[in-house]
Amino acid sequence: MSEIPADLRYTAEHEWVKEQGDGVVRVGITAYAAEALGDVVFVSLPAVGARVSAGEACGEVESTKSVSDLYAPADGEIVAVNETLDSTPESVNTDPYGEGWMYDLRLSDGAAPAAMLDAEGYSAILD
Amino acid sequence: MTTEDLNTDDTGASGRPGLRTSPLHERHVALGAKLADFGGWSMPIEYAGGGVVAEHTAVRERVGVFDVSHLGKARVAGPGAADFVNRCFTNDLRRVGPGRAQYTMCLDKSGGVVDDLIQYLVGDDEVFLIPNAANTARVVELLRAAAPEGITVTDEHDRYGVIAVQGTRSDEVLKSLGLPVGHDYMSFVQAEWEGEPVIVCRTGYTGERGYELLPRWASAPRLWDALLTAVQDEGGLPCGLGARDTLRTEMGYPLHGNDLGPDITPVMAGAAWAVGWDKDTFWGKGAVAAQRAAKESRLMRGLVATGRGIPRAHCAVLSGSEVVGEVTSGTFSPTRKQGIALALLDRSVAVGDEVVIDVRGREIPAEVVKPPFVEVSVRED
């Protein structure tokens, strides 16, 4: 069973969300997703400043064999992206909850990540 | 991403219902392989602790061992069997002698490719065939329907396993088992290992020096165990069909179903070299000869993405605003660390031209090249 840190929240789309304070959340993909995709060789992220809506496809993660969309977990504005993934996309496999983070999202006023799961809830959908 | 994106089939030892399994299936499960459907067979894509990039690199730099037992095996035997096969498939078996293998194609009447396969000339009265897994039954059926009295066509799909050892250290691996090495590219030797027969072919689908071994089905697991140990001793890895695909794409080798098929003839695929144009007859000759003379069809070219992105099959290729072709296979090249593709392009597009690949709405610039995308060492003595 892949690692599912207890201090993160999760979406059914295999993304993790971490509170950064000041209404900003960090978003990445789970170890389960990274493992299932295989070697990640290319990550396409939204532009800093882009506004996204919950559920909107806002990026892509490609492995040697397939491509998958990234979905925004909530309404908001992209305030930072992990540019090191340009040169080291393999961080998504080796450290999905750390060096392999994708982007920071400033939540719109009153927006809260919808339908978020805790570690236990996410673990349950993998069974 | 959705769970459907991640539909890797982690079936247990039993495999998924309806899929056939290799004689090495339990070995793959024990090695933590991710399994997927290849032509109706549950086969490893990659192994735990490896992954496509590491497995690919092992083959390019050292050695890897692959299970390709899903490949078909069929035997055509009887008086004049070689002449009969030569009247059916494209390549000219008279170009090679007994003990030699040859790449060939089975065409339909309109020149479409039913299958591409390797034919092994055992002698005038016997030819052994390795078709693609999904096409074996069809090839056997077509041959049987055409075979004259006295010539038998036998489907031997589950009579042999197929294990490929590929990479510069392949000779060391085979030598450590006492198996023959160093025979010419595209030749084969009947050998014995621990009292069991094994055919050792100097063939492969990676562009590296290597061999494909055909043990009997029941002795495949023991041979695999011995080869895997030897490969690991040489710093190599067990490799799945994911790495096999990136390796063959870097070589520009076509894959049936992507780069060859009912609508992609040998003339279009750049495989005219595998057609015996001087032969009196072969299936589909009229259609492909006419297409070759007309010089109008699209042609297979290589594309190297000069921008960031990975082309995939069916992406449109544009020159200016005009669609000039379509990607048939695309992937990330672990060797070059960029996107590469095979694409069918209009004849107006030349090698060296700059084009644009429409990758899901993003425009990726690319250069038209002649494959292979990497250096070739497959034929070296």
Side-chain angles (χ1 to χ4, degrees):
Chain A
M1 184 45 99
S2 11
E3 186 195 356
I4 305 174
D7 59 335
L8 302 178
R9 307 265 277 169
Y10 300 87
T11 71
E13 284 78 39
H14 307 286
E15 287 161 20
W16 56 262
V17 174
K18 183 182 188 182
E19 294 286 346
Q20 302 284 86
D22 286 341
V24 173
V25 294
R26 177 158 286 189
V27 182
I29 69 168
T30 65
Y32 171 84
E35 164 71 13
L37 284 172
D39 293 332
V40 171
V41 292
F42 180 69
V43 181
S44 171
L45 295 170
V48 171
R51 301 206 67 85
V52 296
S53 314
E56 177 188 337
C58 63
E60 291 174 345
V61 180
E62 296 206 39
S63 68
T64 47
K65 53 186 185 280
S66 66
V67 55
S68 301
D69 285 320
L70 285 172
Y71 298 101
D75 295 352
E77 179 187 346
I78 306 294
V79 291
V81 298
N82 185 358
E83 286 168 3
T84 68
L85 294 182
D86 279 0
S87 53
T88 55
E90 61 271 20
S91 304
V92 177
N93 295 106
T94 56
D95 190 11
Y97 301 110
E99 296 290 316
W101 67 281
M102 302 271 156
Y103 58 88
D104 287 344
L105 178 68
R106 183 183 301 285
L107 302 177
S108 299
D109 285 346
M116 296 293 273
L117 304 162
D118 60 11
E120 201 178 320
Y122 179 62
S123 175
I125 68 167
L126 301 185
D127 292 337
Chain B
M1 55 207 62
T2 65
T3 298
E4 288 71 42
D5 290 338
L6 308 175
N7 63 354
T8 303
D9 170 28
D10 285 315
T11 48
S14 59
R16 204 162 75 196
L19 290 184
R20 299 170 80 177
T21 55
S22 140
L24 306 173
H25 184 75
E26 285 167 27
R27 300 296 196 273
H28 304 322
V29 172
L31 286 165
K34 284 185 200 169
L35 301 166
D37 176 1
F38 283 83
W41 292 68
S42 176
M43 297 298 290
I45 312 179
E46 62 180 36
Y47 293 91
V52 173
V53 174
E55 293 166 17
H56 177 110
T57 306
V59 172
R60 286 276 179 258
E61 296 182 353
R62 296 176 303 279
V63 64
V65 59
F66 301 76
D67 176 18
V68 284
S69 298
H70 62 307
L71 292 175
K73 305 102 201 169
R75 193 178 303 275
V76 184
D83 282 340
F84 163 63
V85 170
N86 212 30
R87 291 195 300 273
C88 301
F89 299 157
T90 58
N91 213 334
D92 193 345
L93 260 179
R94 291 169 309 190
R95 289 177 187 165
V96 301
R100 296 281 165 162
Q102 191 182 47
Y103 178 77
T104 192
M105 281 168 286
C106 173
L107 304 186
D108 61 26
K109 283 199 187 70
S110 59
V113 182
V114 174
D115 196 25
D116 65 329
L117 60 168
I118 304 285
Q119 51 188 4
Y120 295 84
L121 183 61
V122 181
D124 289 344
D125 301 332
E126 189 174 346
V127 181
F128 188 71
L129 305 173
I130 304 270
N132 283 293
N135 302 329
T136 303
R138 180 72 184 138
V139 168
V140 166
E141 177 186 296
L142 288 168
L143 286 170
R144 272 189 193 143
E149 185 98 15
I151 290 183
T152 57
V153 183
T154 324
D155 185 340
E156 301 187 350
H157 212 141
D158 53 12
R159 209 171 285 183
Y160 300 93
V162 187
I163 303 173
V165 178
Q166 302 278 301
T168 49
R169 313 297 287 272
S170 297
D171 284 27
E172 285 76 3
V173 169
L174 267 65
K175 263 189 243 165
S176 75
L177 271 71
L179 291 167
V181 295
H183 38 298
D184 287 345
Y185 181 57
M186 295 301 279
S187 70
F188 64 98
V189 175
Q190 308 264 2
E192 216 173 79
W193 181 73
E194 299 203 339
E196 288 283 322
V198 55
I199 305 167
V200 181
C201 313
R202 175 90 188 272
T203 48
Y205 197 45
T206 64
E208 295 298 328
R209 183 184 187 86
Y211 301 88
E212 289 172 314
L213 291 82
L214 282 81
R216 283 182 181 153
W217 189 265
S219 54
R222 278 197 317 132
L223 179 60
W224 167 268
D225 292 343
L227 289 169
L228 178 57
T229 300
V231 161
Q232 288 169 333
D233 287 348
E234 292 292 334
L237 290 174
C239 299
L241 300 183
R244 192 165 183 261
D245 190 58
T246 52
L247 288 159
R248 71 93 192 166
T249 306
E250 283 187 348
M251 287 304 296
Y253 291 155
L255 173 67
H256 190 271
N258 279 54
D259 318 298
L260 292 169
D263 303 318
I264 309 178
T265 68
V267 171
M268 299 162 74
W273 62 270
V275 178
W277 296 105
D278 299 337
K279 295 200 298 182
D280 292 338
T281 184
F282 59 84
W283 294 339
K285 184 181 179 188
V288 285
Q291 188 185 43
R292 184 185 187 214
K295 295 187 180 354
E296 286 167 359
S297 66
R298 282 182 169 173
L299 297 174
M300 194 67 73
R301 299 292 186 204
L303 300 176
V304 175
T306 49
R308 298 184 67 245
I310 302 170
R312 301 287 182 183
H314 309 300
C315 287
V317 181
L318 298 99
S319 177
S321 58
E322 188 192 355
V323 174
V324 294
E326 183 178 311
V327 171
T328 54
S329 284
T331 192
F332 171 80
S333 162
T335 306
R336 299 183 57 143
K337 310 241 179 281
Q338 59 195 147
I340 58 170
L342 297 174
L344 277 175
L345 302 180
D346 288 347
R347 289 183 183 234
S348 58
V349 183
V351 168
D353 284 2
E354 293 287 332
V355 293
V356 162
I357 310 170
D358 179 349
V359 181
R360 297 177 302 280
R362 253 181 328 124
E363 298 202 330
I364 311 291
E367 184 188 352
V368 180
V369 301
K370 194 173 181 328
F373 298 94
V374 294
E375 264 182 65
V376 188
S377 62
V378 66
R379 290 168 191 274
E380 284 170 13
D381 288 335

